Amino acid sequence: MSTMIKVNQLQKRFGQAHILRGIDCEIKAREVVCVIGPSGSGKSTFLRCLNGLEEVSDGEVFIEGVKLNDPKVDLNALRAGLGMVFQRFNLFPHMTVLENLIMAPMQVKKMSRRDAVLVAEKLLQKVGLLEKIDAFPNQLSGGQQQRVAIARALAMEPKVMLFDEPTSALDPELVGEVLTVMKQLAEEGMTMVVVTHEMGFAREVSDRVFFIDQGVIMEEGPPQQVLGEPHHERTRDFLRKVL
Amino acid sequence: MNSFFQWEIIGEYLPLFVEGTWMTLKAAIICVIAGTCWGLVLGVGRLAEARHGFWKYFLCYCVQWPIRFYVSFLRGTPLFVQILLIHFALMPMLINPSGGLILSGDLAREIRSHYGAFASAVLAITLNSGAYVSEIFRAGIQSIDRGQTEASRSLGMTYMATLRKVVLPQAFRRMLPPLGNNAIAIVKDSSLASAIGLAELAYAARTVSGAYARYWEPYLTISVIYWVITLLLSALVRHLEARYGKGDAR
């Protein structure tokens, strides 16, 4: 299968703080990768470097062979192919659900309103929220907002979906509905990178798990191995705390 | 004839007050619109960021530093002095029958004598309020959660499209109250232009008081007119707030 994302010796510094200390990885098309690790380990920063929300300090990030941290690259065009879902949803509060979904397709892909609405309706159907199409975000529960946020990212028909702790801001009883949508996406063959604390989801859905600690990928492999029989002491330590 | 408040005086000079009110409104409306646009340009310029090479330094030294200097100077000196500077120093340099930098000859004389005070007053107040409005825009834009910008940029939207579609519509709601206060301040500060001979409300009052040596009548009259204008303005702002407040989560 073709390589979707390739990362070489990725480094990220915030002033004095050295957050990412050389990350190497390769993610193939249709692969689902879960990224786990203690808080402050750099896993969210790693994800945000993949679509240029954080500027890369050193190293290289390639998306389908295009170098993302190249000053000459059209970052907007690249981002249009990378969907991102945030911990805090970040829906646009002054727009209805429909407007949230059609803005970028119309602005960035120059889609007609008609076509954009058709796509939006199809996606809202998929995440089970078609009846909320005219609601404002503050009229929705957290779980519903996150499903809308997923639909909004999907509306750009991305090649990769990046999830930054998508269920961490949700009440426990709302986590399931979001994970269900994500599982469905994975089954459809979407390439996904998911930063998460949901070990059940990682075990069940992912093809590979990255354990990031102290700014490097300490351990990686199939979920049964990383979560079941971790080689590294720090991985065992971390899993003992979260499980 | 010696009563405390002589209504006849107001009646006699009513046309002057009406014209003064119209002039005040005209100047204020132009200044509010132009000052807000100018302030938006300055505010966005202050916040613009570039990541790479040339543009980064260009923005820093050719945009942000001059804007900071400009805002600091205009907020740190009295509007009254700015009006005098512009009317008596800057304008004669730019528009002068004998060798103005922008206009000279008879047309310049024509413009100076007919619109001189108006142009100076509007220019001074606009430049001044632009400085204040830029800070309102800056605060408003910065008050919008970073996540909003990140969500928009992650969808492939450009910086300007994000500003236009996502950040400014939300910031605008929060900026309405301070923008309203600014408009009210402009209405009141326009009275300073009477010093350069602009025939607005304060000038009308001065004319009347000069003619009769009566002070209560003209100045109370224009006070009431100013008050009514500012009350109407704050009612308008409240109405706009109610109208555009929908969907705001906070």
Side-chain angles (χ1 to χ4, degrees), chain B residues 11-246:
Chain B
E12 187 186 336
Y13 280 94
L14 192 61
L16 201 59
F17 286 117
V18 171
E19 271 169 42
T21 307
W22 174 229
M23 181 59 88
T24 293
L25 283 177
K26 211 160 52 176
I29 289 169
I30 296 175
C31 291
V32 167
I33 293 171
T36 304
C37 295
W38 179 225
L40 175 62
V41 172
L42 292 175
V44 170
R46 254 316 284 277
L47 291 175
E49 275 176 27
R51 283 187 167 186
H52 300 292
F54 171 72
W55 287 109
K56 193 167 166 178
Y57 295 105
F58 176 81
L59 278 176
C60 180
Y61 294 111
C62 299
V63 178
Q64 295 185 335
W65 200 80
I67 291 176
R68 277 161 84 153
F69 177 80
Y70 172 91
V71 170
S72 167
F73 181 76
L74 278 140
R75 300 208 316 167
T77 53
L79 174 59
F80 188 58
V81 175
Q82 293 163 16
I83 290 176
L84 298 179
L85 254 180
I86 286 180
H87 186 63
F88 294 115
L90 182 68
M91 276 302 192
M93 199 167 91
L94 299 179
I95 301 174
N96 200 316
S98 50
L101 289 176
I102 297 177
L103 264 181
S104 49
D106 287 343
L107 185 61
R109 183 175 294 117
E110 205 55 10
I111 288 176
R112 281 284 296 282
S113 62
H114 284 103
Y115 305 104
F118 185 74
S120 301
V122 164
L123 183 63
I125 296 172
T126 298
L127 291 180
N128 179 274
S129 82
Y132 284 91
V133 170
S134 76
E135 292 291 291
I136 296 175
F137 271 106
R138 193 164 73 97
I141 290 170
Q142 280 179 335
S143 79
I144 302 301
D145 182 29
R146 270 194 77 82
Q148 292 288 309
T149 307
E150 291 181 350
S152 175
R153 296 307 299 273
S154 78
L155 291 164
M157 301 268 290
T158 62
Y159 177 77
M160 284 315 276
T162 298
L163 202 60
R164 216 175 59 240
K165 293 278 175 180
V166 176
V167 177
L168 282 180
Q170 293 182 65
F172 183 64
R173 281 152 220 229
R174 298 187 193 176
M175 293 182 316
L176 265 173
L179 283 178
N181 287 341
N182 183 64
I184 288 170
I186 286 177
V187 169
K188 296 189 291 186
D189 290 346
S190 67
S191 61
L192 294 172
S194 64
I196 56 170
L198 182 68
E200 41 68 75
L201 269 175
Y203 187 85
R206 190 185 294 182
T207 308
V208 175
S209 66
Y212 281 90
R214 300 286 306 187
Y215 299 96
W216 281 107
E217 292 85 354
Y219 286 112
L220 266 184
T221 305
I222 65 162
S223 298
V224 170
I225 296 174
Y226 277 120
W227 196 16
V228 169
I229 295 174
T230 54
L231 282 178
L232 287 176
L233 253 178
S234 34
L236 175 70
V237 171
R238 269 201 305 280
H239 171 76
L240 288 174
E241 271 181 80
R243 189 161 158 211
Y244 291 104
K246 67 178 180 207

Side-chain angles (χ1 to χ4, degrees), chain B residues 1-3 6 8 212 214:
Chain B
M1 200 49 195
N2 258 335
S3 66
Q6 296 175 7
E8 317 80 82
Y212 281 90
R214 300 286 306 187

Side-chain angles (χ1 to χ4, degrees), chain A residues 7 9 14 17 23 34 38 47 55 58 63 66 76 86 123 125 129 140 146 160 162 164 174 179 195 221 229 239:
Chain A
V7 178
Q9 276 302 306
F14 290 104
I23 294 216
C34 279
L47 193 75
E55 208 176 342
D58 214 341
I63 308 293
V66 179
N76 295 318
F86 298 85
L123 288 170
Q125 181 96 54
L129 287 171
L140 304 177
Q146 195 60 301
V160 182
L162 309 172
D164 189 3
L174 302 176
L179 292 182
V195 172
E229 309 148 24
L239 290 171

Side-chain angles (χ1 to χ4, degrees), chain A residues 48 51-53 55 75-76 79-80 82 84 86 90-95 103-104 107-108 136 138 152 156, chain B residues 51-52 145 147-148 150-158 161 164-166 169-170 173 246-250:
Chain A
R48 291 159 59 84
N51 73 347
L53 277 186
E55 208 176 342
L75 202 51
N76 295 318
R79 280 176 178 150
L82 299 165
M84 178 129 183
F86 298 85
N90 295 346
L91 292 177
F92 307 127
H94 58 303
M95 299 181 188
M103 180 188 75
Q107 289 281 321
V108 180
F136 281 95
N138 63 354
R152 177 177 68 181
M156 289 298 288
Chain B
R51 283 187 167 186
H52 300 292
D145 182 29
Q148 292 288 309
E150 291 181 350
S152 175
R153 296 307 299 273
S154 78
L155 291 164
M157 301 268 290
T158 62
R164 216 175 59 240
K165 293 278 175 180
V166 176
Q170 293 182 65
R173 281 152 220 229
K246 67 178 180 207
D248 197 337
R250 283 154 288 265

Side-chain angles (χ1 to χ4, degrees), chain A residues 58-121:
Chain A
D58 214 341
E60 295 168 308
V61 175
F62 294 95
I63 308 293
E64 279 196 314
V66 179
K67 189 174 170 189
L68 178 129
N69 54 325
D70 182 338
K72 286 188 285 287
V73 83
D74 182 355
L75 202 51
N76 295 318
L78 211 56
R79 280 176 178 150
L82 299 165
M84 178 129 183
V85 175
F86 298 85
Q87 181 176 354
R88 305 212 37 104
F89 330 134
N90 295 346
L91 292 177
F92 307 127
H94 58 303
M95 299 181 188
T96 64
V97 167
L98 177 68
E99 289 164 345
N100 264 279
L101 263 66
I102 64 176
M103 180 188 75
M106 285 172 66
Q107 289 281 321
V108 180
K109 295 177 116 183
K110 309 293 175 202
M111 232 187 239
S112 72
R113 193 185 162 89
R114 232 179 88 94
D115 293 346
V117 169
L118 283 177
V119 171
E121 285 172 348

